[in-house]
Structures are given as C-alpha cells and as structure tokens.
C-alpha cells in the first residue's frame, strides 16, 4: 500500500535518513521503533510532504507522492497525526475538526457534518468539549482531537508519530485501544513508537530505525526473539 | 493650563474618532503578525501608496472622488501581495531579521517612489463631507470623522466575519497558530499567508484614504508616523491580538487627543511614543497579548 524506497532526507549537510526502505501493507498496523534521533519524525514529515526528500521514492496505492507537498499528499490519502499533537490551541474542538476537513469541498458539507458526528461518537469526550478551546484539553484529549482531526480528511493510511509521548499510562492504554479499534475498522496505520511493549499489542509488522537506517524488519514474534531489541526496547535481559 | 472638562471630553471624542484609523492600521499589522509572526514595516507605507493611487485615479483619469476609496485599497492590496513575495515568502524561515530588514527597505523604497513622483509636495485629498459638523449637547463632532469611524467599524466587522465565519478565515487562523499542523490539514499555508497580506493591504489602503480624507492632504511625511502609530497600537493591543489592536487604536487616538490638548501639537507625539515604552517595560505582552507556542 505505502511503499518507501531508499529515502534520503537531509537537514543541510546532515543526512537524517540514509536510504530508508519500508512497506506498509493495507489493513495492517506497521510500527517503526527507534531511539531518539533515529530519524523517525524526519521520516514521518518526509512521507507527509512537510520535508522534501533528496532521493528515493514514496508511493501510496501506486501513486507517487514524491515532491507533492503536504496538502496534495493529504489529498492522495496520507494523513499524519504529528508528535505532540499540534492542535490549534485557540480554536475550538469543533473548529479543529473542521480544519481537518479543509480539503473537502463546499459540496461535501453534509458529508463533513456526518464525519464530525462520527468523530463525536467515536470520541465522546470531544463532543462534550466541542466548543472549548483545544488548548484547554488534557494531553490525552488533545491526542484524541489530533487523531480525529486527521481522520476528518478520510485518509487511506494514517501515520501516527509517537502517540503515547507525554501521556499517563492509563491514557496510553486508551490511545492504543483506539488504535486497535481503528485498525479493526479497516484503517491502515503506520505507527512510530518508542514504547515497544504497547506497540506489540497492536502492530502486525515492525521496523527498527537507527541513525537514519533500517536495522531490523520482522513480525512481532521475530522482534521478541531478537536479543538486542529485547534488551533495548522490551526490558529483557 | 486653560481648559476645562468640556475641552477634555471634546479632545477625547476627537481622538477616539480619529483613532479608528489607527485601529485599522493596527488591525492590518496584527493580521500580518498573526499569520507569520513577523512585522511588515512597509505596511503603513503601502496604505499611503494606495491612497496616492486612489488620488491619481481622480486627478489623471478624472474619476469621481469616491472612486479613490475603491482604487486606493485595491492598489494597496496588490502592493501587500508584492511585499509578501519580496520580503517574506522566500526568506529563510528561521531568520527573523531578514524579512524585518527587507520590509524596512521596502518602506524606504515606497517612500522614495512617492517623493520622486510628487517632488515631495503634499497633495490635496478630497474630504468626505467637509462641512458637516454636529453638536451633541456641548460637544461638537466632525461629520467626516464620524463617517471615518463608521466606515472603519464596517471594515472591522467584515474582517471579523472573514476570519471567524469563512473557510479562508479558518485556514488563516490555523496557519497563524500551527503552520506545520495547518499543512498537515491540507491548508495551503503560502497561499493563505499571501491572502492575508492582500487583505491587510486593502485595510491599509482604506486607512490611508481615510487618513488623507480626514486631514485633507496626502504627503510622504505621513508614512513614517503612521508606521510608528501602527506599531504602537499593535504593541499596546498585544502582538497578534485582533481585539487588542482595535481597542488600542481607539485608546491611542484618545491619548493623542488628550496630549494635544494638554501639551500642544509639538509635544503630542513624544507622549504617545512614551506610552509605547511604558507598555514595553511594564506590560510587554500588551493589553490582550498571549504567548502562543508554535511548532
């Protein structure tokens, strides 16, 4: 579904991604693990069209995403829930959801309204807070809002950059339950996470990114059998 | 000091009426600052340039006087877009000094073009209802300033409607708060910023025309004071606060009227500028400014 081949992205002279190749299959949750500074967020931003790649190719359902820029990448069906949520703090929850549907035309106003209702059904807390400024929500609520906002564009694949970061364990459980439910409803997900234990509960396939390169790829069982990963990410000895 | 409470209230009324022009300029500065978190110091100059274009449409093309209020804002809107491309769009994102310096250069460029074309001489600008004067009890109200104020309120209402009731406004507000998240929502942020510069330019053009109509002349000497007053209003209102810019515009107008009465025209601006320093020292976020964390 999402195919990334030999992707290279740099910040000036520093190469953050040094030829990354990954594949995210339709209907799967594909997880990218990696330490801080591995290039995970750079990869997400490059896939979403925020950063430009120096080399390599990205395609979604056979359509090239290279050089499209974020708005066109979104129209092609790839939506990113960024790290730290980045909700529009001074805008209401409802307006944040409307912003998520920015690419929908005026003719689709009824559909947008339906989609907002669906988001309120999926995330009841957002309905309760619909006219509240997003900046006043708790971290977990903001994560749900960022997720709902991304879903408003009706993506084919959802990218999530460290959804558990900065959240309490209880809220992390809730977020991962939502990810699982979304996947069961048919959503393909590419998840970046440092919490391998939680990721194992939802992911179908793993990649390990380290210093801008993929150093491991395999199923959850293969991940659990890898001694290095077990020590570094699963607390094993 | 030979004045009573009637004089004080009269000065405040005149100041508040005139302050509506400052509110418009402050609103334009605020829109641009809100969109890009950068100051466009050529903004007020573009408004004055628009007013000159409006005046030229009357003198060269012989159009009716009211057309100046149509041609002026449109020209200022176009200049606003040119300023966006010349001073902001292609500047390195992390370099905050480059667009500031570029906009200062543009301010002097516009000023020089005006001086070159007019030989630096003031030109008469048609007044709106020059003879209208009303009495409200013991107080007199200039009809032209009343119209300026009414017109400013209409423009402010239109801007608020655009910002809070349209898709364009949604995109503008989203871009101003979190540009990366706005891109991720599919909002074309460069186009949105360009549109904001046009909108602010149109407001500046109206302000330039209204200012020229209320003082009766158009002069290149207006650009710098209007720029500084616009900045004062923006800082006092709170950088990025639309509500603050509008309220501060009227407040600065009122303070200016009062200083004019108490200290005379020669010292008036000294005290207005002093207000800026007082706010920068004691209330740097202005009346309504907030610290917004952007990505």
């Amino acid at each position: 579904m999402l195919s990334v081949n030999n992707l290279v992205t740099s910040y000036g002279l520093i190469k953050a991604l040094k030829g990354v190749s990954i594949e995210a299959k339709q209907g799967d949750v594909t997880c990218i693990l990696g330490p801080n500074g591995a290039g995970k967020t750079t990869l997400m931003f490059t896939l979403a069209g925020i950063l430009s790649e120096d080399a390599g190719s990205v395609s979604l359902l056979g359509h090239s995403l290279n050089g499209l820029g974020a708005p066109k990448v979104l129209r092609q069906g790839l939506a990113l829930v960024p790290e730290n949520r980045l909700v529009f703090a001074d805008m209401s929850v409802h307006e944040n959801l409307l912003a998520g549907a920015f690419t929908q035309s005026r003719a689709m106003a009824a559909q947008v309204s339906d989609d907002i209702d669906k988001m309120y059904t999926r995330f009841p807390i957002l309905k309760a807070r619909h006219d509240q400024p997003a900046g006043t929500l708790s971290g977990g609520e903001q994560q749900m809002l960022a997720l709902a906002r991304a879903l408003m564009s009706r993506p084919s694949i959802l990218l999530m950059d460290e959804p558990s970061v900065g959240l309490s364990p209880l809220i992390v459980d809730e977020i991962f339950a939502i990810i699982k439910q979304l996947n069961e409803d048919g959503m393909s997900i590419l998840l970046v996470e440092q919490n391998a234990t939680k990721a194992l509960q939802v992911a179908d396939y793993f990649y390990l990114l380290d210093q801008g390169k993929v150093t491991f790829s395999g199923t959850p069982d293969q991940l659990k059998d890898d001694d290095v990963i077990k020590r570094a990410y699963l607390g094993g000895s | 000091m030979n004045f009573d409470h009637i004089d004080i209230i009269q000065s405040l009324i005149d100041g508040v009426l005139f302050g509506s022009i400052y509110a418009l300029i402050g609103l334009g500065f605020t829109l641009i600052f809100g969109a890009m978190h950068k100051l466009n110091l050529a903004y007020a100059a573009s408004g004055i340039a628009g007013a000159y274009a409006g005046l030229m449409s009357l003198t060269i093309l012989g159009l009716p006087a009211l057309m100046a209020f149509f041609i002026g804002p449109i020209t200022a809107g176009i200049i606003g877009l040119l300023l966006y491309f010349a001073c902001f769009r292609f500047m390195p994102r992390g370099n905050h000094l480059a667009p500031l310096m570029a906009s200062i250069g543009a301010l002097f460029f516009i000023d020089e073009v005006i001086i070159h074309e007019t030989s630096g001489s003031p030109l008469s600008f048609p007044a709106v209802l020059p003879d209208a004067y009303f009495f409200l009890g013991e107080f007199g109200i200039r009809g032209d300033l009343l119209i300026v104020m009414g017109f400013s309120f209409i423009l402010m209402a239109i801007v608020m409607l655009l910002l809070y009731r349209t898709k364009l406004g949604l995109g503008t507000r989203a871009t101003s708060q979190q540009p990366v998240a706005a891109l991720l929502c599919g909002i074309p942020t460069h186009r949105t910023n360009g549109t904001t510069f046009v909108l602010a330019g149109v407001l500046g053009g109206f302000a330039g025309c209204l200012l020229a109509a209320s003082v009766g002349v158009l002069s290149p000497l207006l650009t710098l004071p209007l720029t500084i007053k616009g900045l004062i209003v923006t800082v006092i209102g709170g950088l990025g606060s639309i509500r603050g810019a509008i309220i501060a515009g009227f407040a600065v107008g009122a303070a200016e009227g009062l200083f004019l009465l108490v200290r005379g025209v020669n010292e008036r601006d000294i005290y207005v500028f002093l207000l800026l320093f007082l706010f920068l020292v004691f209330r740097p976020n202005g009346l309504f400014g907030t610290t917004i964390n952007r990505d």
Side-chain angles (χ1 to χ4, degrees):
Chain A
M1 178 184 203
L2 178 71
S3 185
V4 180
N5 289 303
N6 286 316
L7 199 65
V8 178
T9 303
S10 308
Y11 296 102
L13 294 173
I14 300 164
K15 277 188 180 172
L17 300 180
K18 302 164 184 168
V20 171
S21 297
I22 59 167
E23 189 82 32
K25 291 186 181 155
Q26 189 140 20
D28 275 5
V29 175
T30 307
C31 180
I32 299 172
L33 292 172
N36 285 335
K40 303 185 300 294
T41 296
T42 303
L43 175 61
M44 291 289 108
F45 272 10
T46 309
L47 297 180
I50 298 288
L51 295 174
S52 302
E53 67 280 350
D54 298 338
S57 65
V58 182
S59 66
L60 178 64
L61 297 167
H63 298 286
S64 172
L65 301 183
N66 287 61
L68 287 186
K72 285 183 181 165
V73 167
L74 186 72
R75 283 176 199 274
Q76 289 289 332
L78 185 150
L80 168 64
V81 183
E83 189 182 357
N84 296 325
R85 284 82 74 175
L86 304 186
V87 295
F88 304 118
D90 289 347
M91 286 161 50
S92 70
V93 166
H94 190 77
E95 285 178 322
N96 269 265
L97 294 179
L98 284 175
F102 197 86
T103 51
Q104 314 288 327
S105 67
R106 278 179 216 284
M108 297 159 95
Q111 181 188 294
V112 170
S113 182
D114 277 356
D115 286 350
I116 288 179
D117 287 342
K118 281 178 193 161
M119 293 307 147
Y120 285 154
T121 308
R122 190 182 283 277
F123 307 104
I125 191 70
L126 297 184
K127 186 175 187 181
R129 308 227 188 284
H130 73 281
D131 58 353
Q132 215 171 299
T136 63
L137 302 185
S138 69
E141 290 164 355
Q142 287 191 13
Q143 187 62 57
M144 288 178 206
L145 178 58
L147 180 53
R149 185 180 66 184
L151 291 171
M152 285 299 295
S153 66
R154 298 190 156 208
S156 313
I157 185 165
L158 186 69
L159 276 57
M160 299 183 76
D161 193 354
E162 303 214 31
S164 68
V165 76
L167 301 179
S168 68
L170 272 179
I171 302 296
V172 170
D173 287 347
E174 200 176 337
I175 295 295
F176 272 84
I178 291 167
I179 293 170
K180 198 173 179 63
Q181 185 61 53
L182 271 174
N183 181 240
E184 283 169 8
D185 293 346
M187 179 60 69
S188 308
I189 295 171
L190 179 62
L191 173 72
V192 160
E193 199 36 83
Q194 288 203 50
N195 187 338
T197 312
K198 294 306 298 181
L200 272 168
Q201 295 173 3
V202 294
D204 300 294
Y205 202 79
F206 280 91
Y207 290 94
L208 181 66
L209 195 64
D210 196 6
Q211 295 184 29
K213 290 179 186 166
V214 173
T215 56
F216 167 90
S217 64
T219 62
D221 288 337
Q222 288 170 319
L223 182 92
K224 281 185 268 189
D225 288 343
D226 189 297
D227 287 338
V228 176
I229 293 176
K230 210 155 61 176
R231 271 200 301 275
Y233 292 96
L234 299 171
S237 55
Chain B
M1 295 193 193
N2 192 19
F3 51 83
D4 56 16
H5 73 283
I6 302 285
D7 296 324
I8 292 173
I9 295 171
Q10 181 67 61
S11 298
L12 287 173
I13 290 171
D14 290 344
V16 166
L17 287 171
F18 201 79
S20 57
I21 295 173
Y22 297 153
L24 276 186
I25 286 288
L27 183 55
F29 267 112
T30 300
L31 282 177
I32 292 169
F33 186 83
M36 300 199 72
H37 280 218
K38 291 181 175 76
L39 284 170
N40 173 16
L41 291 180
Y43 170 61
S46 69
I48 295 294
Y52 267 103
L55 184 61
M56 279 167 65
S57 72
L58 310 186
T59 53
I60 297 174
L61 302 176
L63 296 175
L66 270 181
M67 286 303 285
F69 291 88
F70 182 69
I71 305 282
I74 287 179
T75 309
I78 294 168
I79 296 172
L81 189 61
L82 293 175
L83 286 173
Y84 171 62
F85 281 112
C87 305
F88 294 88
R89 168 70 176 86
F90 300 108
M91 292 292 170
R93 199 177 154 180
N95 190 339
H96 292 281
L97 204 56
L100 185 72
M101 297 309 289
S103 73
I104 291 174
L107 161 66
F108 289 120
F109 176 80
I110 292 170
D111 226 19
E112 283 301 315
V113 170
I114 293 173
I115 290 169
H116 185 264
E117 289 301 313
T118 62
S119 306
S121 306
L123 301 175
S124 295
F125 197 94
V128 187
L129 294 180
D131 301 323
Y133 200 81
F134 307 99
F135 283 96
L136 204 68
E138 294 180 83
F139 306 109
I141 295 175
R142 272 173 61 181
D144 58 341
L145 287 186
L146 205 58
I147 288 183
V148 163
M149 190 182 209
F151 205 63
S152 299
F153 274 133
I154 291 170
L155 288 171
M156 288 171 207
I158 290 172
V159 169
M160 297 305 259
L161 280 175
L162 277 174
L163 280 178
Y164 291 95
R165 291 282 182 271
T166 67
K167 198 172 176 181
L168 169 71
L170 184 75
T172 304
R173 286 185 293 135
T175 303
S176 78
Q177 289 179 44
Q178 296 283 4
V180 170
L183 275 171
L184 292 173
C185 288
I187 296 167
T189 52
H190 292 312
R191 201 188 307 162
T192 305
N193 286 337
T195 310
T196 304
F197 270 72
V198 172
L199 179 63
V202 169
L203 276 183
F206 273 115
C209 289
L210 292 172
L211 174 69
S214 57
V215 297
V217 289
L218 203 46
S219 159
L221 293 175
L222 290 173
T223 53
L224 215 50
L226 197 59
T227 302
I228 294 170
K229 295 280 168 61
L231 281 175
I232 292 173
V233 165
T234 311
V235 170
I236 290 178
L239 284 171
S241 166
I242 289 173
R243 183 175 49 149
I246 294 171
I247 292 172
F250 291 111
V252 167
E256 198 177 77
L258 211 55
F259 294 138
L260 177 67
L261 174 74
V262 178
R263 302 302 303 170
V265 70
N266 289 334
E267 290 183 31
R268 178 191 64 186
D269 283 353
I270 296 174
Y271 294 98
V272 177
F273 297 156
L274 200 60
L275 269 183
L276 175 66
F277 288 111
L278 287 176
F279 266 86
L280 284 175
V281 172
F282 295 108
R283 202 177 165 88
N285 286 332
L287 294 172
F288 299 99
T290 52
T291 308
I292 299 168
N293 293 320
R294 303 172 95 219
D295 44 64

